[in-house]
Amino acid sequence: MTDALGIPDQIDGGTVCLRPIALGDRPLIYRWLNNPVVMAFWEGTNRPLSKVKSVGWVERFVGDDASLECLIIETVECPIGFIELSLYPKSQGFGQLVEIDICIGETSEWGQGYGSAALSALLHWLFTSTNTHRAFLQPRAANERAVHVYEKVGFYKEGVLKQAEYHHGEYQDIVMMAAIRDEWLAEFSMKFKDD
């Protein structure tokens, strides 16, 4: 089965699976986006999410906005995070450009390779099952661990946007990183051949 935008009920990533967010995920989002350790990398510890705002946060992805999607990352044991997708242009069946933002909300699961597995599975699905041509993300340059993970799964650095994001009271550089369909499939799709 798939949702209105074509996202299947589950995208298998080996050690993780991805599924569309549901209204029942509001307590997870509220907990993850109020954890100061997580928020230091996400929005910033000075931007907590109220219970009311967490309801709205989830509902915008469950609603009819054709430009937004959110997938929950799950291990066999439990949900551990999410991936936001912003589609350009805003259209059914995905846009040719997809901006990705990932958050592993369960800090006990950091460093286990789950983010890499989730992003690899997502890119494989985007590039083989949708019309996505370019997937990109914009981590803060100071988040070297994230930049390393993104490079590992097939995103390439395209440049640095100087002082492009205001975070924790100061302007910080962000790295523009992208994966292009044909290039990614030529280099990274072999690991999915036997699936």
Side-chain angles (χ1 to χ4, degrees), residues 61-167:
F61 293 107
V62 177
D64 294 329
D65 188 339
S67 68
L68 295 172
E69 283 290 342
C70 186
L71 302 170
I72 296 293
I73 304 166
E74 294 182 323
T75 65
V76 173
E77 290 82 27
C78 64
I80 62 165
F82 61 88
I83 298 178
E84 281 187 37
L85 306 173
S86 300
L87 318 178
Y88 306 97
K90 301 173 182 180
S91 64
Q92 298 290 326
F94 277 77
Q96 291 83 26
L97 309 177
V98 175
E99 183 174 7
I100 297 170
D101 218 343
I102 183 170
C103 174
I104 302 297
E106 297 296 335
T107 57
S108 62
E109 305 300 334
W110 288 6
Q112 304 298 313
Y114 295 135
S116 297
L119 286 169
S120 293
L122 176 65
L123 288 173
H124 182 261
W125 178 76
L126 284 171
F127 291 149
T128 61
S129 300
T130 76
N131 67 343
T132 301
H133 177 73
R134 172 187 167 87
F136 68 99
L137 35 74
Q138 302 176 66
R140 281 186 289 284
N143 192 349
E144 294 174 1
R145 186 174 78 187
V147 170
H148 173 73
V149 167
Y150 303 150
E151 287 179 315
K152 183 174 141 183
V153 301
F155 287 93
Y156 293 93
K157 292 179 185 174
E158 295 184 317
V160 174
L161 302 175
K162 302 298 266 178
Q163 298 184 18
E165 185 172 305
Y166 193 72
H167 185 75

Side-chain angles (χ1 to χ4, degrees), residues 25-35 49-52 54:
D25 295 316
R26 289 182 298 215
L28 291 171
I29 298 300
Y30 176 74
R31 182 165 49 85
W32 292 336
L33 296 186
N34 279 288
N35 180 335
L49 191 70
S50 70
K51 286 195 176 187
V52 171
S54 71

